[in-house]
Amino acid sequence: MAGSGCGNACKRPAEADGTAEGLEAARKRSRTERGGRHKAKEKSSRLSAALFGEDCEISHDQVYELLKYAALGKCYNVTQPSWCRIYHQSHLAGVVVIVLHEMSQLHFYKFYLQFKHLRKVFQHRFTKPPSSASFLANLYGEGADVKTQNNAQGLISTSSGCIPKNSDLQCDPIIRKYGESKQGLTRYILTVEELKKNDYPMKGSPGCKGYVHTECDQQRTDSSPLFGLDCEMCLTARGNEVTRVSLVDAQGQCLLNELVKPESTIVNYRTRFSGITRKMLLPVKTRLPDIQSRLKKILPHDAVLVGHSLNADLQALEMIHPSVIDTSLLFARNEGRRFKLKFLAKAVLGKEIQCDQNLGHDPTEDARAALELAQFFIEQGPAKVAELNLEMLLTTERLTEVSQNKSALQPQGCRVQKQLNDPPHLSKPCFLDCLQVTGQKPLLLGRQEVDSSGLCQSNLSTSNKQILQRALEDVPLSTFSIVQFSLGPEYIASHLPAGFCEKVRSKLTDMLTIYAGPFEESFCLKSVKKEFGKCGPIQSLTVVTETYQPYVCIQYEVLEAAQLAVESLDGAKVAGSCIKVQRPVTAAMLDCDVLIQELEQDIENEGVIYVAGLKKSLSETDLQEEFSHLEGLETLFLPKDLQSGRHRNCCFLKFQTSQSAVDALEVISSWAVKGSKLRSRKALASGHLWRWIWQMNHSSGKQVGNSLCEKTVPLSDSEQDLRKKVKKLDQIIKKLYRSLQKNTLCVVLFPGTNSIHESQSGLGLMGIKDNGGSSAC
């Protein structure tokens, strides 16, 4: 498999041309080198994510961050994602994203027992917002258009062209700053505030005493003449002093190209950049005041100076000029970053400047380049400049430099004549283009393709079995793969069987509910509430009066609390009565014990315990201090009411190992914190699940406490069929996952649903496959 780290790209310049021959060569080489290369590596990639408690909700942009870093790595100047960390990214064998279309977090927990493979392999899970129609494109860059190639089976195998949409122009920093329409040159002259902000010499500014004013005070118009200016400096005892000055007019004619001897002794000629040598300056008699006088004579009173970071040149010249167009600010970027003049000349003008074979920079060449860039911007307007997609060109250039050991970007439509008609700039660049530059072919398989508007279109004739067969063949040959499965056309059309969501909510409510009793007629309800409250936060408490003796129906907020009540209070004496504690008896609850057992063994809950009976007055800091001496404690999560923000009387403790968690349970059983006796057990819903349960529970309209039994309703044909399909889908994912090599990052996404009728959150599962076939954490 072609490695997604920088090593692979750097070692294969001959195959990085993106041609069919180059890609085929990469495939053949990957077959022969794959095994030996990975065996030679000692380090394994690891994934670390703080997905615990409230930190489990991840946005689409954060998923994009993860995939971009995994695919490109830090040697391409891509930073680690903000919410998780990949260790030894360069050792990743590949990235595989499995998308389960039309499925949500609701599906995962409705068919939790059927998703046997998924819940046992992926420890890292997160909730994500419901997806839009452009979900696929958002995975690898907003507004991306994917060029598709259909094969005989109707499968879609793609390599990305990442064409942005016109609507994304509004996000471009150039458009945000200047708008889309063409304007005269006066619109691009720096304002007084911009001059101050960017350290331009100004009248009355500190440090500008003795500076010479150009006396160009006439009002500027859109017909005012432009002049390109550039200086080269050497380091002297005083700091940077000018040693060469060039000025060109609007036609590019050189009006001034003079060497200048500085007043102070030169300590560093900086020949590599300035091109100045000691020998060159020996015969020079021209001093700075001479240059200042000549510039004042040449420049008309309405002159507009153009340069790249011209503030440095004017500071070195010790001159003040009121009207400036700075090309480093004109071609705006996000977060205050600036394009280099060399890059802009190549990408916009198609010109090579500051070439490595030359001794230093040529100030006349630089002044002319800056002038032509400003003229281009004024003549074409901001919209055309934004359409050049400079950010993507810069990324491509950097990748080419790394992969081919060249300093110049290969001509790939950089010239203006070709770029003017290209689609506009991406607000979130599509990183799949970057992979193709280095000869690494991204792969998209499944029923969904992306049309020119960025929206997904379905090809319903393709089966999951066909997709799997193709994935087993092609995924090992691709650096970055997106494989899409779904439950079938009938579920894409109807989304969910009737009452599907309500059944999940109803079962969840039953699992959170316990019945306790019988009690005496005159029992103290307050005592019952106090005793059962020690197991965890109670949502509601109701007295059942339909029975011979009273019972109490208690609905908890967390699964662990209900389970603790069943385990610790069944047969106990509460409020003067020996009581029985049980869950509701319904058809849906017959597999409750199995479900609880599987949740306990879920890999996400490994090393996590639940502790109840805490005083609500205790803060997270107090609890950290109380539990700090427990061996192997990694982190603590104190659940809060998502509406009031108040924390509950329980917490989750996560330990480095399962054994540390088991030892902690024994210790805590004999503890009292600030006078409160604690109760604890293994966690059932410690990660993203507790939040989802809270939301489902608080949106429930189901009344509890009316009856102990409900009429058994057989499963509908559609739901029985759905269960079978989910089980098969889990097996298909298992086969694909087993075929992946060690050190492959695998992300499984339930996109969620978002429509007028309903909105269901999505779910993500992720891990890096280790030797044992599970995910490495």
Side-chain angles (χ1 to χ4, degrees), residues 326-394:
D326 189 333
T327 50
S328 73
L329 300 171
L330 185 66
F331 291 83
R333 298 182 72 189
N334 286 320
E335 300 171 0
R337 296 172 297 168
R338 302 188 189 189
F339 291 115
K340 291 183 179 179
L341 180 63
K342 178 178 180 178
F343 166 75
L344 287 174
K346 177 66 179 175
V348 178
L349 306 173
K351 290 187 174 182
E352 294 279 4
I353 66 170
Q354 302 174 1
C355 298
D356 292 341
Q357 57 266 34
N358 296 341
L359 181 64
H361 298 175
D362 180 346
T364 304
E365 181 183 62
D366 290 356
R368 191 176 288 118
L371 177 72
E372 290 179 11
L373 285 168
Q375 289 171 331
F376 173 85
F377 199 106
I378 296 165
E379 290 166 9
Q380 298 296 332
K384 287 294 184 183
V385 175
E387 288 174 8
L388 295 179
N389 201 357
L390 295 174
E391 288 291 350
M392 184 55 69
L393 286 174
L394 180 60

Side-chain angles (χ1 to χ4, degrees), residues 582-727:
Q582 63 182 17
R583 283 195 168 90
V585 182
T586 66
M589 290 292 287
L590 294 176
D591 61 358
C592 180
D593 290 341
V594 178
L595 193 52
I596 293 292
Q597 185 180 352
E598 293 297 330
L599 281 169
E600 273 187 3
Q601 295 172 4
D602 193 304
I603 191 170
E604 188 184 32
N605 294 320
E606 195 174 289
V608 185
I609 65 172
Y610 168 82
V611 181
L614 306 171
K615 286 186 176 179
K616 291 185 181 179
S617 58
L618 292 173
S619 67
E620 194 164 338
T621 309
D622 296 332
L623 292 174
Q624 290 280 10
E625 189 178 337
E626 288 290 339
F627 295 122
S628 60
H629 61 280
L630 289 174
E631 189 177 346
L633 180 62
E634 192 175 286
T635 186
L636 175 149
F637 165 53
L638 192 58
K640 294 179 182 177
D641 185 297
L642 296 182
Q643 290 175 341
S644 67
R646 297 173 185 170
H647 48 71
R648 323 316 269 149
N649 65 337
C650 61
C651 70
F652 292 94
L653 303 179
K654 186 173 185 178
F655 293 85
Q656 292 173 358
T657 64
S658 299
Q659 188 55 49
S660 297
V662 171
D663 295 342
L665 283 174
E666 291 182 10
V667 174
I668 291 173
S669 62
S670 59
W671 267 18
V673 174
K674 306 289 185 185
S676 293
K677 176 76 174 170
L678 301 183
R679 289 177 179 169
S680 60
R681 74 170 324 279
K682 288 182 179 179
L684 301 173
S686 59
H688 69 284
L689 182 54
W690 80 269
R691 187 186 187 94
W692 182 73
I693 287 174
W694 191 96
Q695 290 168 339
M696 290 287 285
N697 196 19
H698 283 72
S699 64
S700 171
K702 180 181 176 184
Q703 297 296 318
V704 294
N706 295 326
S707 64
L708 288 177
C709 296
E710 291 179 3
K711 186 180 177 182
T712 302
V713 179
L715 286 175
S716 64
D717 291 341
S718 62
E719 193 167 338
Q720 286 181 352
D721 186 47
L722 193 52
R723 283 192 176 190
K724 291 176 184 176
K725 284 182 177 289
V726 168
K727 197 170 182 180

Side-chain angles (χ1 to χ4, degrees), residues 67-96:
L67 298 180
K68 182 179 178 182
Y69 180 75
L72 300 179
K74 60 186 176 184
C75 75
Y76 295 149
N77 295 324
V78 180
T79 55
Q80 284 268 13
S82 57
W83 57 284
C84 63
R85 189 171 185 83
I86 298 177
Y87 295 92
H88 311 307
Q89 178 276 340
S90 60
H91 290 259
L92 279 178
V95 181
V96 176

Side-chain angles (χ1 to χ4, degrees), residues 249-263:
D249 64 15
Q251 287 71 47
Q253 297 297 316
C254 184
L255 305 178
L256 178 68
N257 186 14
E258 284 282 338
L259 289 169
V260 184
K261 180 166 282 187
E263 296 294 338

Side-chain angles (χ1 to χ4, degrees), residues 283-435:
V284 175
K285 303 295 182 185
T286 305
R287 298 285 184 174
L288 182 59
D290 302 322
I291 292 297
Q292 291 170 336
S293 298
R294 290 187 63 180
L295 283 171
K296 284 179 67 176
K297 287 178 183 178
I298 294 172
L299 294 174
H301 292 297
D302 63 342
V304 177
L305 285 180
V306 179
H308 199 76
S309 298
L310 195 57
N311 58 309
D313 302 283
L314 290 173
Q315 291 283 7
L317 287 168
E318 297 183 8
M319 296 189 77
I320 296 171
H321 186 80
S323 302
V324 169
I325 294 177
D326 189 333
T327 50
S328 73
L329 300 171
L330 185 66
F331 291 83
R333 298 182 72 189
N334 286 320
E335 300 171 0
R337 296 172 297 168
R338 302 188 189 189
F339 291 115
K340 291 183 179 179
L341 180 63
K342 178 178 180 178
F343 166 75
L344 287 174
K346 177 66 179 175
V348 178
L349 306 173
K351 290 187 174 182
E352 294 279 4
I353 66 170
Q354 302 174 1
C355 298
D356 292 341
Q357 57 266 34
N358 296 341
L359 181 64
H361 298 175
D362 180 346
T364 304
E365 181 183 62
D366 290 356
R368 191 176 288 118
L371 177 72
E372 290 179 11
L373 285 168
Q375 289 171 331
F376 173 85
F377 199 106
I378 296 165
E379 290 166 9
Q380 298 296 332
K384 287 294 184 183
V385 175
E387 288 174 8
L388 295 179
N389 201 357
L390 295 174
E391 288 291 350
M392 184 55 69
L393 286 174
L394 180 60
T395 305
T396 307
E397 182 185 66
R398 286 173 176 169
L399 286 168
T400 307
E401 286 175 358
V402 172
S403 64
Q404 299 185 10
N405 296 317
K406 289 183 179 180
S407 60
L409 177 67
Q410 293 295 327
Q412 294 181 15
C414 294
R415 292 186 176 274
V416 171
Q417 292 83 350
K418 189 171 181 180
Q419 283 289 339
L420 284 178
N421 296 319
D422 282 353
H425 169 61
L426 278 169
S427 59
K428 187 168 71 174
C430 174
F431 59 81
L432 298 191
D433 273 345
C434 308
L435 291 176

Side-chain angles (χ1 to χ4, degrees), residues 107-156:
H107 285 85
F108 182 76
Y109 286 108
K110 168 65 178 174
F111 300 111
Y112 180 80
L113 294 177
Q114 281 76 23
F115 279 119
K116 192 173 181 180
H117 170 72
L118 285 185
R119 59 186 166 83
K120 288 189 176 180
V121 169
F122 297 99
Q123 182 171 14
H124 297 299
R125 297 176 199 169
F126 55 87
T127 298
K128 57 178 289 299
S131 298
S132 63
S134 57
F135 168 69
L136 261 189
N138 287 339
L139 285 180
Y140 42 74
E142 286 180 0
D145 177 35
V146 179
K147 298 174 182 178
T148 62
Q149 301 168 350
N150 297 333
N151 60 30
Q153 291 180 311
L155 293 171
I156 300 157

Side-chain angles (χ1 to χ4, degrees), residues 553-565:
C553 174
I554 300 169
Q555 186 177 340
Y556 285 99
E557 292 185 9
V558 293
L559 284 178
E560 290 84 356
Q563 188 62 21
L564 252 184

